[in-house]
Amino acid sequence: MPGDETTPRAVGGLKPRLIIGLGNPGLEYRDTRHNIGFMVADELARLSGVSFTEEKRWHGWVAKIPGAILLKPTTFMNDSGRSVQAVSQFYKTPVQEFLVIYDDVDLPLGRMRMRLAGSAGGHNGLKSMIRSLGTDAFPRLKLGISTPSGRPAGERLVGHVLGKFREDERTELAIMIQRATDAVRLACQSGLETAMNHFNRKEEQA
């Protein structure tokens, strides 16, 4: 499978050509914590002056920005891999040139981490991608959405990730989206390793 023979160290100098924002389609899911990947993808499109077009053959919304394709799967989170696989096959994009943007309940709101590979960590969108692609060796940008009282299980956790951000969280959310778009744009301009070193170092110092 793509990515099996390329180590994270070798991937670091690459620039992302397929940027995937994970989320759920539909107005009822708009602005929910689970849709932070969609929010960042929307901001990247806005900054480049482009709009998303629905591509039913790929089960997703697609937009082109300089040097990369933006994808928002319309399959719902649990089946994201089907859309990602279809688009990556069409554009012949290896997984090392992905950048997946998604929510992370284990990070406080406002914190983010860029990684070159890793497990699904319980995230259903990543689980679907790993099943479809046969590898977890794809770069990703994790955005903290926090959890109430640690990490609750079952329905309480589902209710949290599918809930909307509170009004008192909106300022921190806007700052994180801006920093995330800056990180993605730096990765597109200067490579994943440069962006990872720059933004992860800032996070460690915060």
Side-chain angles (χ1 to χ4, degrees):
M1 293 300 298
D4 292 345
E5 298 178 357
T6 305
T7 64
R9 184 181 297 275
V11 174
L14 294 176
K15 298 178 181 179
R17 292 198 297 122
L18 178 57
I19 299 165
I20 303 145
L22 294 184
N24 288 309
L27 289 177
E28 65 268 41
Y29 297 106
R30 187 176 180 179
D31 296 331
T32 60
R33 295 175 192 271
H34 223 18
N35 272 34
I36 189 105
F38 275 16
M39 296 179 202
V40 174
D42 287 340
E43 180 64 5
L44 287 164
R46 187 190 71 81
L47 291 171
S48 293
V50 299
S51 299
F52 281 92
T53 299
E54 184 174 7
E55 294 285 355
K56 292 186 178 179
R57 56 180 169 162
W58 298 329
H59 316 288
W61 290 304
V62 176
K64 294 185 178 181
I65 62 173
I69 301 294
L70 293 175
L71 170 65
K72 297 192 300 181
T74 57
T75 53
F76 289 93
M77 186 69 81
N78 293 5
D79 200 17
S80 299
R82 183 156 57 104
S83 176
V84 174
Q85 184 179 44
V87 175
S88 63
Q89 286 180 342
F90 180 86
Y91 285 105
K92 297 179 173 59
T93 309
V95 295
Q96 297 86 7
E97 295 179 8
F98 288 7
L99 184 54
V100 185
I101 307 166
Y102 65 98
D103 58 293
D104 190 324
V105 297
D106 291 324
L107 286 176
L109 177 66
R111 302 301 294 269
M112 65 185 198
R113 291 284 188 277
M114 187 176 284
R115 295 287 185 263
L116 298 179
S119 69
H123 193 284
N124 288 333
L126 290 194
K127 288 179 182 178
S128 175
M129 286 186 58
I130 292 168
R131 282 196 305 268
S132 295
L133 300 168
T135 180
D136 62 7
F138 46 82
R140 69 280 306 273
L141 179 60
K142 305 188 290 186
L143 304 179
I145 61 168
S146 74
T147 55
S149 302
R151 182 170 184 169
E155 293 183 4
R156 189 173 174 213
L157 182 59
V158 171
H160 176 70
V161 300
L162 293 181
K164 295 183 182 292
F165 289 94
R166 301 190 309 269
E167 283 302 317
D168 64 314
E169 296 176 315
R170 293 289 176 174
T171 298
E172 191 65 48
L173 171 64
I175 293 170
M176 182 170 62
I177 290 174
Q178 181 59 59
R179 289 171 55 243
T181 57
D182 289 345
V184 174
R185 297 177 90 187
L186 181 59
C188 291
Q189 294 166 2
S190 303
L192 288 159
E193 186 173 2
T194 296
M196 185 172 65
N197 289 340
H198 178 75
F199 283 93
N200 286 354
R201 186 176 298 115
K202 278 192 170 184
E203 287 292 317
E204 291 167 0
Q205 295 171 349

